[in-house]
Amino acid sequence: MEKIYNPKNIEEPIYKFWEQGGYFNPHGDTSHKSYCIMMPPPNITGQLHLGHAFQQTIMDVLVRYQRMNGKNTLWQTGTDHAGIATQILVENKIYNDTGKIRHNYTRDDLIKKIWTWKQQSEKFITYQMRRLGNSVNWKRKCFTMDTEMSYAVKEAFIRLYQDNLIYKGKRLVNWDPKLQSAISDLEVVNKPMKGSMWYLYYKLNNSTIVTDDHSTIDPSYLIVATTRPETILGDVAVAIHPEDSRYKNLIGKYVITPITNKCIPIIFDEHVDMFKGTGCVKITPAHDFNDYIIGKRHKLPMINIFSLNGKILKHPEVFDSYGKPNDQLHYNIPQMFHNLDSYHARKKMISECTKFNLLHDIKPHNSIIPCSDRTGTIIEPMLTNQWYIRAKILAQQAVNAVQIGMIDFVPKQYKNMYFGWMNNIQDWCISRQIWWGHGIPAWYDDANNKIYVGHCEKDIRIKNQLDNDIILRKDNDVLDTWFSSSLWTFSSLGWPKDTNLLNIFHPTSIVISGFDIIFFWIARMIMLTMHFIKDNNGIPQIPFKTAYITGLMRDESGHKMSKSKGNIIDPIDLIDGISIENLLEKRTKDMLQPQLADKIIKCTKKQFPHGIKSHGTDALRFTLVALASSGRDIHWDMKRLTGYHNFCNKLWQASRFVLMHTKNQDCCISSSTKKLFSLADRWIVTKFHQTVKNFHKNLKIYRFDKIANILHKFIWHQFCDWYIELTKSTLCHGNTLEIRGTRYTLITLLESLLRLAHPIMPFITEKIWQEVKTITGNDGETIMLQPFPKYNVSMIDTESILDFEWIKHAVTAIRNVRTNMNITYNIPLQVVFRCTSPDVKKRILNNYNILCNIAYLKSIDFIPKHEVYPKSIAISLDSTELLIRTPEKFNKNIKINQINKELESIKHKIEITQELLNNNNFINHAPTSIIKNKQELLNYYVQIKHKLLEQHAIITKL
């Protein structure tokens, strides 16, 4: 092995060795249990980010662990076409390169360009997956628009339509006027914006209103508050809470809308907040989701005032509460508003209201405005014809599956989030008005007002016996990306065919996903899987047995990572390193919102002024696993990444030590050869099996952070810091049997802990294991197919734990004295044990050489209880007393003066930092990361102060 740990030299060759060896494939022995994970398919919009790396590392840990436990494992991978996001990205790229827009191309030509982008993007994504060490079955890689997958998507749509679970109807949707398509809630970002609340006069249509003596309401008009005065053009009612005493006499009355002069009813509805504004709410069902619900409840008409590109119509579209055209009602829009966008229509409306004294007041108002995450455009709630799934029907058995424990959520609190959404589920809009995606398999016979669904027009004509003279028009819309994603667990295994893979690996074992898509993906997978997939007895199958839900990956300041914020980190940059120039170029390339580039450059220069150093994949994976606390958001930490790179280096150097002392040596691998195990040998084997037990226990409950800590503690603190240090004494001064026992323990334990660490740190463990196996005589090809270590109770030596922990305690006490008194390690110490029991004395004498060598002692003596030992420091160790003689060169007064100066300095630093943290101006305005750093610094200063005071107390007693 090379002297310097350099992950760049080992990782890619090892992955190539694994992939070429076919070690990622299922072993195919169905007598063993199966284990299957379907990787959430990443979008082809760009590269994987740290959030992907986090979830994929967790998946790989599980898959490698189960594979080593002998299960028939399949980790299915693939990519998602990401309809809207991909089309926007490619359109922006085309515009930046050529100045052309979508409509300069035919639909087929644009789709060809997107397929070209897909090939490039997918190539880089799969490269990233390989660099992360993902042991996926590459032979079964899928893309959600592959021929087989597209067939499955169409088949699902057709069957749902035939089961009366899909319908087409006019409902309110999130409409992106720039994209001119419906979008999902997940693609809507709510942004806080400063605006105004306008208070407008709505004249009462009946001036003979009777009021009581205490009324403060002018009987001639109502004052209605609104943040969107332009939608007065679509008002159909004013709503009041039925318990609002100010307006109790207005039941059954009408008001006249400002400017448009429409006569609309006053209605009473319990959903009105009587304490907000004036308690009077204008109802515009065609352009507000809350108003839409109220309008449906009161069977109010709906007036659509906007065109699909967000401009005011010349002639409004009027529908009844069921979305059907209403020819009996006729409304006009004044010409002055025609073809204005919402901003200019609003200005015009306010201008007209001011002109006619219909504006009562204007107040500043902070609003939450829904915007398209893809285009940045303000979303307009819009009445459009869309395809819907009757989700409430499908939700019933999906809710039951979780209630009775067929599917388990980890952590359990996300089960309540799932139920909360499922119990209030609305029909799912599955159509999008874009070009890239799965075309909706529907054809229209406009002459006879009929809809046909099928895989192709030919099939439809044959099945329905339609003559060629009947003109069929293909639906131009595509399906919501989440529709095809919801079929992922079974469509990627060959459905609708009844394949062997489907029978072996479905239901899958676990899905790992973020909490933000429980509704959009997890719930919908459960619903559609249980509808389509049945076992041999006709009982619905679940898509997975466990849903492990992660928090969001956030940056070091706690902000969500996103391309628009410019804080996304490519995991490859953490693995290989990257210069600041290349990092800036990467973060500002192919942006959906190019106007944010300057802000991103500034942010990046501040975060990584010198770029990012290389750390290697194993360090990255270990960091991600260590940060995987149960269900909480993950705050990325570069310091921990650096620390775990050092941890990998520690394992590398420890392994080199073991190999240097065991290669071509008598290690007694044969059990028949005589050997003698020292206390340290017996202790480390016991600690290893306790570690194995805790590892299994915590991985079973998905506490990934704990298995990382368990592994780190054993390798760094027990194997390296203590055991390897102790073996040096045996290897140098032990007899033949002792040396054999230590060599045997070193090499066999190293081999075992490599297998234990392999799921988290696959590359370094494979590299070292290939060296170790030649000594242990293992003829296996790769560590990833070796058995995972099992807990063996017969290897637990309780007595060795008691003895060794006592010795550790003694050595630690001696080392602390050296540190506190600033006594260097080239000065041997004299120690005496006073009042020592026979058992403790035996323990010390049996390990005399170990104590002298590891603590660097000149001698160890024993004295009775009352004998005085001059110029010494006394430390209690259970039933005995440890006395350490101070060296002749030690000057007590000089040391006390030195400590006093250091105390004075550290107290000054504590005062300054504490004063800053007590400053409200600093706390209210400083970034969270800066405040956190200052708090950590204060804690560090306080710890130093306590250590100095402890040193002062010890030396004063001399």
Side-chain angles (χ1 to χ4, degrees):
M1 280 173 57
E2 296 177 6
K3 186 174 182 180
I4 305 298
Y5 167 60
N6 188 345
K8 278 188 177 180
N9 295 341
I10 67 172
E11 291 177 353
E12 288 190 82
I14 285 175
Y15 195 90
K16 189 175 180 180
F17 159 71
W18 287 333
E19 190 173 349
Q20 289 179 345
Y23 303 133
F24 301 154
N25 302 336
H27 58 58
D29 186 349
T30 54
S31 65
H32 291 247
K33 289 183 178 180
S34 295
Y35 189 85
C36 179
I37 295 180
M38 294 292 170
M39 178 189 290
N43 296 341
I44 58 162
T45 45
Q47 61 195 26
L48 301 184
H49 52 66
L50 209 50
H52 290 112
F54 169 65
Q55 291 186 354
Q56 291 177 15
T57 296
I58 296 301
M59 287 180 248
D60 196 44
V61 168
L62 290 171
V63 168
R64 288 180 182 271
Y65 172 79
Q66 298 293 350
R67 185 185 290 120
M68 293 177 77
N69 278 294
K71 290 185 180 177
N72 187 29
T73 56
L74 171 64
W75 188 11
Q76 175 84 42
T77 187
T79 48
D80 195 292
H81 65 281
I84 290 176
T86 302
Q87 181 168 317
I88 292 176
L89 188 147
V90 174
E91 283 185 30
N92 285 348
K93 189 174 183 348
I94 291 171
Y95 182 78
N96 292 335
D97 293 344
T98 67
K100 294 181 178 180
I101 61 173
R102 182 208 311 188
H103 298 289
N104 293 129
Y105 296 89
T106 66
R107 183 169 184 151
D108 288 344
D109 286 342
L110 182 69
I111 288 174
K112 283 178 184 177
K113 289 186 175 294
I114 298 176
W115 273 105
T116 301
W117 165 266
K118 177 261 181 188
Q119 301 300 335
Q120 298 170 355
S121 176
E122 188 177 69
K123 185 177 180 181
F124 186 68
I125 288 171
T126 55
Y127 167 74
Q128 288 180 296
M129 289 184 188
R130 287 177 167 92
R131 292 302 311 278
L132 287 168
N134 293 349
S135 58
V136 298
N137 187 339
W138 289 111
K139 291 182 179 179
R140 293 206 46 76
K141 178 173 70 71
C142 295
F143 175 55
T144 50
M145 283 183 62
D146 285 342
T147 302
E148 296 81 3
M149 297 291 286
S150 292
Y151 184 87
V153 170
K154 289 178 182 177
E155 182 66 18
F157 183 96
I158 293 165
R159 293 190 188 186
L160 287 168
Y161 184 81
Q162 291 170 344
D163 293 338
N164 196 29
L165 291 170
I166 281 183
Y167 67 95
K168 191 165 191 180
K170 187 176 288 288
R171 295 169 64 109
L172 209 59
V173 296
N174 296 312
W175 186 260
D176 184 331
K178 183 177 180 180
L179 185 64
Q180 292 194 36
S181 174
I183 64 173
S184 73
D185 289 344
L186 190 64
E187 293 157 323
V188 175
V189 177
N190 291 313
K191 296 182 179 179
M193 293 187 184
K194 291 183 178 180
S196 300
M197 180 75 81
W198 288 272
Y199 293 79
L200 304 167
Y201 293 117
Y202 279 60
K203 185 179 178 181
L204 288 162
N205 192 38
N206 186 347
S207 60
T208 61
I209 303 294
V210 178
T211 60
D212 58 42
D213 295 337
H214 303 287
S215 174
T216 59
I217 303 300
D218 190 311
S220 62
Y221 58 80
L222 291 180
I223 298 174
V224 177
T226 180
T227 58
R228 298 196 65 193
E230 72 277 14
T231 60
I232 286 172
L233 301 172
D235 282 358
V236 295
V238 169
I240 296 168
H241 195 282
E243 294 180 5
D244 194 333
S245 59
R246 294 172 295 176
Y247 308 106
K248 65 182 181 180
N249 295 317
L250 298 182
I251 188 167
K253 306 302 179 182
Y254 292 81
V255 291
I256 305 299
T257 59
I259 306 306
T260 59
N261 296 314
K262 294 199 305 278
C263 183
I264 59 174
I266 298 170
I267 62 172
F268 288 83
D269 194 282
E270 291 183 351
H271 283 73
V272 174
D273 184 351
M274 70 176 80
F275 303 107
K276 185 176 180 181
T278 62
C280 301
V281 179
K282 58 189 287 298
I283 304 300
T284 317
H287 297 289
D288 183 279
F289 285 101
N290 291 324
D291 292 2
Y292 179 76
I293 295 170
I294 292 174
K296 294 278 281 186
R297 191 158 45 239
H298 294 270
K299 293 183 170 51
L300 297 173
M302 299 184 286
I303 307 173
N304 179 35
I305 64 170
F306 286 111
S307 66
L308 296 180
N309 62 357
K311 301 293 179 67
I312 299 293
L313 293 168
K314 293 180 180 179
H315 304 287
E317 298 172 334
V318 184
F319 305 94
D320 64 20
S321 59
Y322 298 101
K324 295 179 181 179
N326 190 330
D327 299 328
Q328 297 177 352
L329 297 175
H330 299 282
Y331 295 106
N332 293 316
I333 294 178
Q335 186 176 358
M336 69 183 88
F337 296 102
H338 292 178
N339 209 34
L340 296 180
D341 61 27
S342 61
Y343 173 76
H344 290 95
R346 183 178 303 174
K347 289 186 69 175
K348 187 65 178 173
M349 180 63 75
I350 293 304
S351 172
E352 291 298 305
C353 286
T354 304
K355 178 179 176 182
F356 291 101
N357 296 319
L358 295 172
L359 178 63
H360 172 72
D361 197 6
I362 306 174
K363 293 181 180 179
H365 183 76
N366 294 328
S367 299
I368 303 298
I369 306 298
C371 298
S372 171
D373 190 33
R374 306 303 183 189
T375 64
T377 310
I378 293 176
I379 291 300
E380 183 61 57
M382 189 80 79
L383 276 174
T384 57
N385 280 313
Q386 304 288 346
W387 287 94
Y388 290 90
I389 289 181
R390 302 184 198 279
K392 285 188 178 181
I393 298 172
L394 293 172
Q396 294 169 1
Q397 61 184 2
V399 168
N400 185 56
V402 176
Q403 284 177 334
I404 65 176
M406 292 173 68
I407 298 173
D408 191 27
F409 275 80
V410 179
K412 291 189 181 299
Q413 69 259 27
Y414 289 112
K415 190 186 293 186
N416 295 329
M417 185 183 287
Y418 171 81
F419 287 141
W421 189 71
M422 293 291 276
N423 291 332
N424 296 284
I425 197 168
Q426 301 298 314
D427 286 357
W428 170 16
C429 176
I430 57 171
S431 47
R432 299 291 181 266
Q433 290 66 52
I434 57 173
W435 290 355
W436 173 245
H438 296 282
I440 292 178
W443 280 258
Y444 301 91
D445 175 0
D446 293 325
N448 297 298
N449 196 27
K450 289 185 177 180
I451 299 175
Y452 300 97
V453 300
H455 284 281
C456 64
E457 183 177 341
K458 182 180 177 181
D459 288 351
I460 287 172
R461 288 188 181 278
I462 293 171
K463 182 179 178 182
N464 296 281
Q465 299 179 351
L466 301 177
D467 295 334
N468 289 333
D469 59 351
I470 294 177
I471 298 173
L472 294 181
R473 176 176 56 86
K474 175 75 168 64
D475 194 311
N476 285 324
D477 291 351
V478 299
L479 286 163
D480 177 15
T481 300
W482 293 107
F483 182 82
S484 54
S485 298
S486 299
L487 314 175
W488 182 242
T489 63
F490 56 92
S491 61
S492 59
L493 292 174
W495 186 89
K497 295 178 182 177
D498 186 19
T499 64
N500 286 332
L501 284 171
L502 195 57
N503 292 321
I504 294 170
F505 292 110
H506 204 277
T508 64
S509 304
I510 188 171
V511 66
I512 293 174
S513 181
F515 72 87
D516 54 329
I517 56 173
I518 287 177
F519 318 136
F520 298 98
W521 193 45
I522 301 293
R524 288 167 176 172
M525 276 197 290
I526 299 173
M527 287 192 291
L528 291 185
T529 303
M530 296 189 75
H531 179 74
F532 288 118
I533 307 299
K534 308 289 192 296
D535 65 16
N536 293 331
N537 298 315
I539 297 173
Q541 273 195 6
I542 52 175
F544 36 75
K545 298 162 190 171
T546 301
Y548 177 81
I549 306 300
T550 68
L552 295 179
M553 178 64 70
R554 298 184 179 275
D555 65 15
E556 291 179 283
S557 299
H559 299 129
K560 182 180 177 181
M561 288 188 175
S562 69
K563 194 169 180 68
S564 61
K565 285 190 174 71
N567 58 357
I568 279 182
I569 300 177
D570 179 352
I572 303 301
D573 296 340
L574 298 174
I575 294 170
D576 290 340
I578 188 171
S579 67
I580 182 60
E581 293 78 15
N582 290 340
L583 182 59
L584 290 173
E585 182 183 357
K586 177 181 283 190
R587 285 189 164 185
T588 54
K589 186 179 179 182
D590 296 328
M591 295 181 63
L592 295 179
Q593 300 180 54
Q595 69 273 18
L596 300 174
D598 290 341
K599 181 180 178 182
I600 287 168
I601 290 170
K602 183 179 178 181
C603 171
T604 303
K605 284 182 176 179
K606 182 179 179 182
Q607 188 179 14
F608 300 109
H610 307 294
I612 301 173
K613 292 181 180 179
S614 168
H615 295 85
T617 300
D618 288 317
L620 172 60
R621 286 171 61 110
F622 204 96
T623 306
L624 293 169
V625 174
L627 291 172
S629 55
S630 186
R632 289 175 289 187
D633 285 354
I634 301 97
H635 288 237
W636 178 245
D637 190 341
M638 288 297 295
K639 292 178 183 176
R640 291 189 75 171
L641 177 64
T642 301
Y644 289 128
H645 173 77
N646 296 336
F647 172 62
C648 291
N649 183 62
K650 184 91 167 178
L651 175 60
W652 183 268
Q653 299 304 332
S655 300
R656 287 187 69 250
F657 172 86
V658 173
L659 291 169
M660 280 191 293
H661 289 89
T662 55
K663 202 166 188 176
N664 300 319
Q665 300 290 336
D666 181 10
C667 296
C668 298
I669 297 301
S670 171
S671 59
S672 60
T673 311
K674 287 187 177 181
K675 46 190 171 285
L676 183 65
F677 296 113
S678 68
L679 172 62
D681 295 333
R682 290 180 281 118
W683 171 77
I684 197 64
V685 169
T686 298
K687 296 302 288 184
F688 176 74
H689 280 273
Q690 289 177 338
T691 299
V692 169
K693 183 180 181 181
N694 285 332
F695 191 102
H696 283 288
K697 175 185 173 183
N698 283 283
L699 190 54
K700 187 176 181 180
I701 58 173
Y702 304 104
R703 287 306 305 264
F704 297 98
D705 54 337
K706 288 191 175 183
I707 65 169
N709 292 334
I710 288 165
L711 201 57
H712 184 273
K713 179 181 178 182
F714 177 79
I715 292 175
W716 190 299
H717 300 292
Q718 295 168 350
F719 184 70
C720 295
D721 283 356
W722 284 100
Y723 180 64
I724 283 184
E725 287 302 310
L726 290 168
T727 61
K728 294 174 183 177
S729 173
T730 304
L731 293 170
C732 290
H733 307 294
N735 60 40
T736 301
L737 295 181
E738 290 172 336
I739 292 172
R740 281 180 183 170
T742 294
R743 283 181 184 150
Y744 174 86
T745 305
L746 275 169
I747 195 65
T748 56
L749 192 74
L750 175 60
E751 194 276 340
S752 296
L753 76 82
L754 290 173
R755 286 186 280 123
L756 185 69
H758 177 73
I760 304 178
M761 310 160 71
F763 291 110
I764 191 172
T765 53
E766 180 72 76
K767 177 65 177 176
I768 298 169
W769 186 85
Q770 291 292 341
E771 299 287 335
V772 169
K773 76 170 189 174
T774 62
I775 302 172
T776 60
N778 191 318
D779 59 359
E781 295 177 7
T782 171
I783 190 173
M784 65 184 291
L785 298 183
Q786 297 302 301
F788 197 81
K790 288 184 169 51
Y791 172 68
N792 187 344
V793 68
S794 67
M795 301 303 293
I796 301 298
D797 184 341
T798 307
E799 186 177 346
S800 72
I801 295 290
L802 295 173
D803 288 347
F804 196 85
E805 292 302 322
W806 191 93
I807 288 173
K808 273 178 66 181
H809 191 184
V811 171
T812 302
I814 295 167
R815 287 175 172 174
N816 286 341
V817 169
R818 278 189 183 275
T819 301
N820 290 334
M821 298 180 66
N822 203 20
I823 302 170
T824 61
Y825 276 83
N826 62 354
I827 301 175
L829 298 176
Q830 292 176 266
V831 302
V832 167
F833 287 94
R834 183 162 58 192
C835 187
T836 308
S837 68
D839 288 342
V840 172
K841 188 172 185 179
K842 180 182 176 183
R843 180 184 288 158
I844 295 167
L845 292 174
N846 285 345
N847 297 280
Y848 187 91
N849 289 336
I850 288 177
L851 278 166
C852 287
N853 283 298
I854 199 168
Y856 197 51
L857 304 179
K858 185 176 183 180
S859 63
I860 300 175
D861 293 306
F862 300 90
I863 60 175
K865 183 176 182 179
H866 299 293
E867 186 173 326
V868 176
Y869 192 63
K871 295 184 73 175
S872 63
I873 298 169
I875 300 169
S876 295
L877 284 176
D878 298 331
S879 60
T880 189
E881 195 174 20
L882 170 63
L883 303 170
I884 303 172
R885 185 158 188 160
T886 56
E888 295 296 330
K889 295 181 181 181
F890 181 77
N891 188 311
K892 173 181 175 179
N893 292 329
I894 291 175
K895 184 63 181 174
I896 287 177
N897 288 335
Q898 179 187 340
I899 292 172
N900 285 336
K901 288 181 181 179
E902 291 178 14
L903 271 171
E904 187 176 341
S905 174
I906 204 69
K907 285 178 180 177
H908 180 64
K909 290 179 179 178
I910 289 172
E911 286 175 8
I912 292 173
T913 310
Q914 188 68 67
E915 186 177 339
L916 184 63
L917 289 171
N918 289 339
N919 187 324
N920 289 332
N921 191 42
F922 170 75
I923 295 296
N924 293 332
H925 295 93
T928 306
S929 57
I930 300 296
I931 297 171
K932 183 182 177 183
N933 288 338
K934 291 297 180 183
Q935 288 172 333
E936 290 175 351
L937 190 63
L938 178 62
N939 293 336
Y940 172 70
Y941 289 155
V942 169
Q943 288 176 3
I944 293 176
K945 176 187 170 185
H946 288 158
K947 286 182 180 178
L948 289 170
L949 290 171
E950 187 179 304
Q951 291 178 30
H952 192 280
I954 291 171
I955 295 169
T956 303
K957 291 179 182 178
L958 290 175

